[in-house]
Amino acid sequence: MKDPQHELQVDIRKQIVLHNVSTISELSKVTHVSFPTVKKIIDDMIEHGEVIEHGQHASKGGRPQKLWVQSHLSSLPDPIHRSERDSLSLD
């Protein structure tokens, strides 16, 4: 049985890497998932070194949107268990 949370994480990774979708708002639109849910997944990906902030969109009013890009750790094969990824040494 597929884990819907994992499937959503994979979809978000694909959008960031393959389609240059890089704001939480854009990710929310293309995945048809709420902004808070996407934000939570992005926060988890940040915590585990999968994405990093890469500037901001210019704003025409309101708060500028942060841009997210893959980090060097996101090139690891998917799926990889967090415990395995956390134990990898990049030295």
Side-chain angles (χ1 to χ4, degrees):
M1 186 167 147
K2 293 185 179 183
D3 175 14
Q5 183 76 9
H6 177 74
E7 294 295 318
L8 181 56
Q9 289 173 341
V10 170
D11 192 25
I12 288 173
R13 284 184 194 108
K14 286 179 185 176
Q15 294 299 326
I16 291 171
V17 175
L18 301 176
H19 304 290
N20 293 324
V21 176
S22 59
T23 68
I24 293 174
S25 239
E26 291 171 334
L27 290 166
S28 179
K29 286 178 188 173
V30 298
T31 59
H32 307 286
V33 176
S34 72
F35 185 97
T37 299
V38 172
K39 171 103 171 73
K40 182 179 178 196
I41 290 171
I42 291 291
D43 288 344
D44 188 52
M45 293 170 75
I46 292 166
E47 181 180 326
H48 291 95
E50 296 178 52
V51 296
I52 56 173
E53 185 178 339
H54 186 70
Q56 298 179 338
H57 269 302
S59 175
K60 295 179 183 177
R63 187 182 322 187
Q65 295 182 10
K66 293 179 182 179
L67 302 173
W68 303 101
V69 296
Q70 77 180 63
S71 74
H72 65 285
L73 291 179
S74 66
S75 63
L76 295 170
D78 188 45
I80 185 167
H81 300 290
R82 287 185 183 147
S83 60
E84 292 175 27
R85 180 175 52 230
D86 294 343
S87 68
L88 293 174
S89 172
L90 299 177
D91 298 322

